[in-house]
Amino acid sequence: MFKFVKASAILLAGLLFTGAAVAQTKVAVVNIQAAIMSTEKASSKINALKTSSEYSQLQNSAESIRAEVQKMAEDAQKNGVTWSDEKKAEHQRKMNFKRSDFETAVKKLRAMEGQAVQDLQKDLLPKAKSALEEVIKERKLDLVLDANSAVYAGTSANLTEELVKRLNAAK
């Protein structure tokens, strides 16, 4: 009986100390990629890309090809019943080529966007890490988690907006 009481007392004391330690732990979350992409520099770079002549031409080309494929599909649906098997096969082949051209144009657009994002990450990631370290020291945080991994984080525990403000101010 005495051993049970002693073990219970030790367990209770351990729980109390653990609860006190947890209550003092300061935890926050941050989404560094979202912070980087929310900066003025990122917005400017993405806008510059989307208004560049190369990107605009490629985007217009993709849209034109998409419209052609759609028109060809409508034509096939409307008139396909009167076409010979050879004509149907030829039309399908042309549509497949156009779809391939469209997919290639879209891949090029995504590659251009991806390169812009990589350039931003390369440029701003060291600055973001430095700014985050400053916030961690100022707030005396014990643990910072990736916001994408957190199930819940209140607005005061999310450092992403503060990180964006600091990155914008740093220029």
Side-chain angles (χ1 to χ4, degrees):
M1 178 76 168
F2 180 69
K3 287 184 180 182
F4 176 73
V5 172
K6 187 176 177 183
S8 297
I10 291 171
L11 182 61
L12 183 60
L15 288 174
L16 289 174
F17 286 122
T18 303
V22 170
Q24 294 175 2
T25 302
K26 291 185 178 182
V27 180
V29 298
V30 68
N31 186 331
I32 294 177
Q33 279 68 33
I36 288 172
M37 294 311 295
S38 297
T39 62
E40 293 167 0
K41 185 173 186 170
S43 295
S44 174
K45 184 161 182 113
I46 297 299
N47 286 338
L49 171 68
K50 291 190 176 184
T51 57
S52 73
S53 64
E54 182 183 5
Y55 188 91
S56 295
Q57 287 173 352
L58 198 52
Q59 193 170 29
N60 290 339
S61 174
E63 184 58 35
S64 174
I65 294 168
R66 188 198 60 74
E68 286 180 51
V69 169
Q70 186 175 356
K71 184 179 177 187
M72 290 175 79
E74 290 170 359
D75 187 33
Q77 188 175 15
K78 186 189 296 182
N79 302 318
V81 284
T82 63
W83 292 346
S84 68
D85 288 342
E86 288 175 1
K87 171 114 175 152
K88 286 179 186 178
E90 177 65 20
H91 190 76
Q92 186 62 44
R93 188 179 62 74
K94 286 180 182 178
M95 279 183 59
N96 289 342
F97 286 151
K98 287 289 182 186
R99 281 190 191 117
S100 179
D101 291 345
F102 175 75
E103 290 169 4
T104 300
V106 169
K107 283 180 185 177
K108 287 179 183 177
L109 288 167
R110 299 299 164 250
M112 291 172 76
E113 292 166 359
Q115 186 60 51
V117 169
Q118 280 183 347
D119 293 346
L120 284 165
Q121 295 281 343
K122 184 178 177 183
D123 182 37
L124 292 178
L125 189 59
K127 295 173 185 173
K129 286 182 178 181
S130 176
L132 181 59
E133 288 173 8
E134 290 174 15
V135 173
I136 291 169
K137 287 178 186 173
E138 289 171 11
R139 290 194 181 189
K140 297 178 178 146
L141 297 170
D142 298 312
L143 180 64
V144 178
L145 301 171
D146 182 9
N148 294 324
S149 301
V151 174
Y152 171 78
T155 54
S156 64
N158 193 333
L159 306 176
T160 305
E161 274 302 312
E162 187 170 345
L163 191 56
V164 171
K165 289 176 187 174
R166 288 180 186 240
L167 287 170
N168 284 336
K171 303 245 177 190

